[in-house]
């Protein structure tokens, strides 16, 4: 079967979902008000609360939620065949991710730009807030630790991409100064910045002197450099320290100085990257060689599929970004549909091309089955297979494979870096909220909270030895990411549902995906915690994952019971907020 058919069907569903379903949700359910004074205006401080053009904000929102996850998840989930991954990405984006991201943004805007963690206190109760914040902290800590390793790994494997990624930083700061201090236009400078990055990437792909290849500088895996670390491990150490210094600075700067212009450049990268890949698909017209359903898969797809593909279908991290940073920058409430729902559609498009790139990469079904011989192997080769498959698609429009692979690596690293510093900024917000809640004034200070976030993330990366070697400590907790992330999405949908009920609106649009997601997540979590990590099944006991997983599982059940109680009390547990004028 031609892969073009998959692309056309998927894009048609996304188009109809945005044009009709999101309009229905915006006008009939959320009832957006163009005259509502958003927190960006009401609490404008020039640091976090900054009224922002909807295109620029869409760029920030999309690139913050995208990261590498909408690529990695589908590239792994295709282990079960392309059909389950395709259906979950397309339908999940339209009926779950869109209303989730859109709803979290509107809910936060109607409540002073507060995060979903704080809103849990208002909508469900004090105990739920503490449980919720605990899950969020575990989640962002895992994201920080693993994305630091992912970016370091890409820098090591694609040294030709490093220079372009670092050139973006001064260019973004220059654009921020130009726009906010000189009242300039962001569009043309950002396009020029993108062109500079790609020209640099093309030259670096062919000129080894421009490739920042740390393992080569340190003598490779055969050479012990210092502290018992060989050249590769020392490279990880240096890149992780550099990244932690970067995220500290990036997450404390006013959003207009780096975050907004850099994310706007990255939104162009999305357009260019998707344009290259979809045009390459159109001109090369490859056949799908991955099976529709992998009958040789030894790990069942149900319910694991729904926690393996998070970003690209629905993800709790999106609700954190929507209520954490995006809601503080929303210029008009009616922009929420474009920023929130269309942000989810953008990620769906990325997940769709990731499925196609992997599904068309192999010469025949036998080659696919040999490469994806187990679920564990799929987890190890997913991202690399995507980059190779994307490079193969790009050759359809006559871009050499090595240059295409470098450009794809630049895009993936740029998105991952955006997610990393947004995640650290979110962790700072949460620590500050906890400081306010428990009257610990020092935690409310920006640099104290940021230091705690960065140091704890670096410690998780560097101190324990992870399953993928030095610097991969975050992977010790990573098996919890899928369930924790989807659990967070389910709880956020629950908050929106309760809020809509209070407003007397039709809440089925969030209740139905919430029930589905919670059942799938708790089912998958129960399997992992009690039959895999506990040692009751064939696998050896993993005490760390079992204890943390069991705590999160119990917390999730507890939150659900609190929510049912709040629902049965017919809103008496939900205080009236003067900002909720709807």
């Amino acid at each position: 079967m031609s892969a073009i058919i998959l692309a056309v069907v998927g894009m048609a569903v996304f188009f109809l979902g945005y044009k009709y379903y999101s309009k229905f949700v915006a006008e009939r359910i959320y009832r957006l008000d163009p005259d509502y004074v958003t927190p960006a205006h009401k609490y404008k401080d020039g640091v976090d609360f900054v009224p922002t053009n909807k295109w620029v904000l869409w760029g920030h929102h999309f690139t913050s939620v995208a990261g590498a996850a909408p690529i990695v998840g589908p590239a792994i989930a295709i282990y079960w065949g392309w059909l389950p991954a395709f259906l979950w990405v397309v339908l999940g984006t339209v009926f779950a991710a869109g209303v989730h991201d859109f709803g979290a943004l509107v809910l936060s805007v109607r409540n002073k730009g507060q995060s979903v963690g704080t809103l849990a206190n208002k909508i469900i109760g004090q105990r739920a807030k503490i449980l919720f914040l605990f899950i969020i902290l575990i989640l962002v800590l895992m994201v920080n630790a693993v994305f630091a390793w992912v970016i370091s790994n890409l820098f090591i494997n694609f040294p030709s991409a490093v220079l372009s990624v670092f050139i973006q930083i001064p260019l973004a700061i220059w654009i921020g100064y130009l726009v906010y201090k000189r009242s300039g236009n962001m569009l043309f400078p950002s396009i020029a910045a993108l062109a500079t990055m790609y020209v640099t990437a093309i030259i670096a792909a062919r000129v080894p002197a421009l490739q920042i290849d740390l393992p080569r500088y340190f003598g490779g895996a055969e050479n012990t450099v210092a502290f018992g670390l060989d050249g590769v491990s020392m490279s990880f150490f240096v890149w992780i320290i550099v990244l932690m210094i970067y995220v500290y600075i990036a997450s404390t700067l006013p959003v207009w100085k780096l975050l907004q212009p850099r994310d706007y450049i990255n939104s162009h990268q999305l357009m260019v990257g998707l344009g290259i890949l979809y045009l390459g698909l159109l001109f090369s017209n490859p056949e799908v060689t991955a099976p529709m359903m992998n009958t040789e898969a030894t790990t069942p797809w149900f319910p694991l599929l729904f926690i393996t593909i998070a970003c690209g279908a629905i993800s709790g991290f999106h609700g954190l970004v929507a209520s954490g940073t995006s809601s503080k920058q929303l210029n008009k409430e009616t922009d929420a549909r474009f920023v929130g729902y269309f942000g989810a559609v953008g990620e769906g498009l990325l997940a769709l091309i990731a499925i196609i790139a992997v599904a068309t990469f192999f010469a025949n079904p036998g080659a696919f089955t040999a490469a994806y011989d187990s679920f564990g192997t799929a987890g190890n080769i997913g991202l690399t297979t995507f980059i190779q498959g994307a490079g193969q698609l790009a050759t359809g429009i006559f871009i050499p494979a090595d240059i295409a692979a470098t450009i794809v690596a630049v895009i993936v690293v740029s998105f991952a870096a955006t997610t990393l510093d947004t995640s650290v900024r979110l962790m700072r917000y949460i620590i500050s909220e906890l400081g306010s809640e428990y009257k610990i004034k020092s935690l409310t200070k920006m640099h104290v909270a940021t230091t705690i976030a960065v140091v704890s993330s670096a410690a998780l990366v560097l101190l324990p030895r992870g399953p993928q070697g030095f610097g991969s400590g975050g992977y010790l907790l990573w098996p919890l990411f899928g369930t924790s992330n989807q659990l967070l999405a389910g709880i956020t949908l629950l908050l929106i549902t309760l809020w809509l009920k209070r407003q007397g609106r039709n809440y089925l649009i969030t209740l139905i995906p919430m029930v589905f997601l919670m059942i799938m997540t708790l089912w998958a979590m129960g399997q992992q915690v009690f039959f895999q990590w506990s040692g009751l099944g064939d696998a050896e006991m993993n005490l760390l994952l079992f204890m943390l997983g069991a705590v999160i599982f119990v917390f999730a059940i507890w939150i659900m019971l609190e929510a049912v109680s709040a629902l049965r009390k017919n809103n008496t547990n939900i205080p009236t907020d003067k900002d909720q004028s709807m």
Side-chain angles (χ1 to χ4, degrees):
M1 182 181 74
S2 170
I4 292 177
I5 296 174
L6 286 185
V8 170
V9 172
M11 292 170 75
V13 176
F14 289 150
F15 172 77
L16 295 172
Y18 180 72
K19 184 170 179 60
Y20 296 107
Y21 189 56
S22 74
K23 185 179 180 183
F24 164 77
V25 173
E27 295 179 354
R28 303 291 295 275
I29 306 297
Y30 295 150
R31 301 180 192 173
L32 303 186
D33 179 1
D35 298 323
Y36 184 79
V37 180
T38 63
H41 290 280
K42 193 169 184 178
Y43 307 109
K44 183 176 178 181
D45 62 3
V47 178
D48 296 321
F49 292 87
V50 179
T52 304
N53 175 282
K54 72 175 185 179
W55 289 95
V56 176
L57 183 56
W58 182 85
H60 156 68
H61 182 80
F62 170 76
T63 55
S64 295
V65 301
I71 295 169
V72 175
I76 295 172
I78 203 169
Y79 164 72
W80 293 299
W82 61 262
L83 183 61
F86 174 82
L87 290 176
W88 176 228
V89 163
V90 172
L91 299 179
T93 294
V94 171
F95 295 108
V99 293
H100 169 274
D101 299 7
F102 186 7
L105 184 55
V106 174
L107 182 60
S108 177
V109 166
R110 285 283 166 167
N111 287 275
K112 306 175 183 177
Q114 292 173 327
S115 73
V116 287
T118 298
L119 294 174
N121 183 28
K122 288 185 176 182
I123 298 176
I124 302 179
Q126 175 69 13
R127 288 191 298 271
K129 174 186 175 179
I130 302 303
L131 301 176
F132 202 18
L133 287 178
F134 173 79
I135 295 172
I136 293 172
L137 273 178
I138 292 287
L139 185 67
V140 293
L141 189 60
M142 283 190 284
V143 168
N144 296 343
V146 171
F147 272 56
W149 185 88
V150 166
I151 296 171
S152 300
N153 191 44
L154 288 172
F155 277 163
I156 289 171
N157 286 301
F158 297 93
S160 56
V162 177
L163 193 56
S164 293
V165 172
F166 279 92
I167 279 178
Q168 187 186 34
I169 297 172
L171 289 174
I173 292 174
W174 168 69
I175 292 171
Y177 172 79
L178 192 67
V179 172
Y180 285 92
K181 296 299 181 184
R182 305 291 296 271
S183 301
N185 184 292
M186 191 177 286
L187 178 62
F188 294 110
S190 60
I191 292 174
L194 185 63
T196 303
M197 290 174 63
Y198 284 176
V199 169
T200 304
I202 292 169
I203 296 173
R206 296 296 171 85
V207 181
L210 295 178
Q211 298 175 7
I212 303 177
D213 190 352
L214 290 190
R216 182 163 58 87
Y217 300 158
F218 289 133
E222 306 301 323
N223 184 45
T224 300
V225 181
F227 312 115
L229 299 177
D230 61 35
V232 175
S233 296
M234 181 57 76
S235 301
F236 271 107
F237 179 76
V238 170
W239 281 132
I240 287 168
I241 295 300
V242 168
L243 286 169
M244 289 299 156
I245 293 171
Y246 160 75
V247 295
Y248 186 99
I249 297 171
S251 61
T252 53
L253 282 176
V255 292
W256 61 267
K257 280 190 176 177
L258 174 62
L259 184 144
Q260 285 184 353
R262 182 209 52 200
D263 294 355
Y264 194 54
I265 296 171
N266 287 343
S267 70
H268 297 327
Q269 290 210 62
L270 168 72
M271 301 298 180
V272 172
L274 289 178
I276 289 174
L277 296 181
Y278 278 104
L279 280 175
L281 170 68
L282 182 64
F283 284 102
S284 60
N285 190 19
E287 290 291 312
V288 175
T289 52
M292 180 183 292
M293 294 292 295
N294 183 7
T295 56
E296 298 185 23
T298 53
T299 303
W301 67 273
F302 193 89
L304 285 181
L305 172 72
F306 305 102
I307 62 169
T308 302
I309 301 180
C311 297
I314 179 171
S315 162
F317 187 74
H318 295 194
L320 294 182
V321 175
S323 66
T325 55
S326 300
S327 64
K328 296 176 177 63
Q329 302 171 62
L330 197 72
N331 185 39
K332 294 171 63 177
E333 192 176 67
T334 46
D335 293 345
R337 177 190 170 205
F338 179 76
V339 174
Y341 198 99
F342 195 63
V345 169
E347 198 172 61
L349 283 169
L350 189 56
L352 178 61
I353 199 65
I355 293 171
I356 292 172
V358 176
T360 58
F361 175 68
F362 297 95
N364 52 61
F368 171 88
T369 306
Y372 276 69
D373 61 351
S374 71
F375 185 60
T377 303
N380 292 331
I381 68 172
L383 183 57
T384 303
T385 306
F386 164 75
I387 292 176
Q388 292 171 328
Q392 184 171 277
L393 285 178
T395 59
I397 51 175
F398 309 109
I399 297 177
D402 59 334
I403 291 175
T406 296
I407 291 176
V408 171
V410 169
I411 294 172
V412 174
V413 170
S414 299
F415 285 8
T418 301
T419 301
L420 179 62
D421 64 53
T422 299
S423 179
V424 171
R425 187 180 285 264
L426 291 170
M427 195 168 177
R428 186 243 293 177
Y429 291 163
I430 295 165
I431 293 171
S432 295
E433 287 182 12
L434 285 171
S436 298
E437 182 69 30
Y438 292 104
K439 314 296 183 192
I440 306 174
K441 192 174 180 181
S442 59
L443 292 183
T444 64
K445 297 186 181 303
M446 179 170 66
H447 289 289
V448 173
T450 306
T451 299
I452 293 172
V454 170
V455 170
S456 59
S457 301
L460 180 57
V461 174
L462 295 173
L463 294 183
R465 186 172 181 82
Q468 303 196 46
F470 178 79
S472 66
Y475 276 94
L476 291 171
L477 302 180
W478 192 246
L480 281 169
F481 174 80
T483 48
S484 302
N485 191 45
Q486 300 307 71
L487 194 57
L488 189 60
I491 296 170
T492 302
L493 283 170
L494 176 63
L495 294 178
I496 302 168
T497 301
L498 289 168
W499 177 70
L500 287 174
K501 183 175 184 294
R502 180 194 185 203
Q503 308 297 322
R505 315 274 175 78
N506 184 344
Y507 51 84
L508 289 178
I509 61 148
T510 51
L511 179 68
I512 293 172
M514 185 273 288
V515 170
F516 175 79
L517 194 62
M518 290 302 282
I519 290 174
M520 292 301 110
T521 303
L522 291 176
W523 188 345
M525 195 171 206
Q527 281 188 346
Q528 290 180 317
V529 171
F530 300 111
F531 297 103
Q532 184 178 345
W533 299 329
S534 69
L536 289 178
D538 296 332
E540 293 185 5
M541 181 180 188
N542 187 320
L543 185 61
L544 176 67
L545 291 179
F546 173 70
M547 291 180 64
L548 272 175
V551 169
I552 293 174
F553 185 84
V554 170
F555 279 8
I557 299 293
W558 194 345
I559 291 173
M560 292 298 294
L561 293 176
E562 294 277 356
V564 171
S565 174
L567 197 62
R568 294 179 63 183
K569 288 178 182 175
N570 198 25
N571 307 321
T572 56
N573 208 27
I574 305 174
T576 300
D577 189 312
K578 63 182 179 181
D579 273 0
Q580 290 180 326
S581 59
M582 295 175 78

